[in-house]
Amino acid sequence: MAPIAYVTLLGRSPWAVVNTYYKVLKEGKGKREIRRVYVFTEERYRNLLPKVVKAIEAISKAYNLRPRIETVVIKDYGFFEADRKFKELFTKLEREGYRIGLDITSGRKALVAAAIVQIREFPVSFIVYMGLLDMDFPDRPYMMIPTHMQPIKNFLGDGDEAR
């Protein structure tokens, strides 16, 4: 099976990125194929990147994974820049034999739209969004939130769960 490059979009909620990554690894198929992780964010959220990268490293290590983690910072409201950077990354990943897993849970509209528009032409493993049904739990680790309050949807099918 081809390796997966996991692309996640960081907006105002670092927990949304971290918890979705955890759930994909915990319950999703293809988790052993994740070899790279790319965290895209806008300039205004740059300060959240070190914590998110550290959390992704810790979760990956718990699953005996050692993905290369890279971050990409787009200027605020950088629609055109985001569009170009996603196309460049997806083209490179396809050339290197990767399938792409995209997490749009925490992303802001400009990044989500650019990523989805660009990913159409590339080998995609999944596009996931994890909901949070009760806003009493916004800033907690996945294990501290009732599972039924965190539904995940794979927009490419495969049921309601990203498995």
Side-chain angles (χ1 to χ4, degrees), residues 7 10 14 16 22 91 106 124 161:
V7 179
L10 172 61
Y22 177 81
T91 299
S106 180
V124 183
E161 297 287 320

Side-chain angles (χ1 to χ4, degrees), residues 135-156:
M135 291 311 295
D136 288 340
F137 304 106
D139 297 321
R140 295 185 188 175
Y142 176 81
M143 292 82 56
M144 292 180 69
I145 304 170
T147 307
H148 69 281
M149 297 302 244
Q150 301 178 84
I152 192 165
K153 172 71 174 161
N154 179 0
F155 286 98
L156 297 183

Side-chain angles (χ1 to χ4, degrees), residues 23-55:
K23 186 160 187 167
V24 166
L25 289 184
K26 181 177 181 284
E27 299 182 6
K29 58 178 157 169
K31 63 186 170 195
R32 296 286 177 222
E33 285 80 35
I34 294 176
R35 303 281 187 272
R36 294 185 186 172
V37 175
Y38 296 88
V39 183
F40 276 74
T41 194
E42 291 179 298
E43 185 64 44
R44 69 182 119 187
Y45 302 115
R46 174 190 290 271
N47 64 319
L48 301 174
L49 283 170
K51 287 182 188 178
V52 168
V53 168
K54 189 174 180 177

Side-chain angles (χ1 to χ4, degrees), residues 43-83:
E43 185 64 44
R44 69 182 119 187
Y45 302 115
R46 174 190 290 271
N47 64 319
L48 301 174
L49 283 170
K51 287 182 188 178
V52 168
V53 168
K54 189 174 180 177
I56 289 171
E57 287 171 343
I59 293 166
S60 298
K61 186 177 177 182
Y63 283 92
N64 295 315
L65 299 173
R66 302 279 186 275
R68 184 173 88 198
I69 303 170
E70 296 184 31
T71 62
V72 180
V73 179
I74 306 292
K75 68 182 179 184
D76 292 341
Y77 308 106
F79 310 118
F80 300 110
E81 179 186 9
D83 192 57

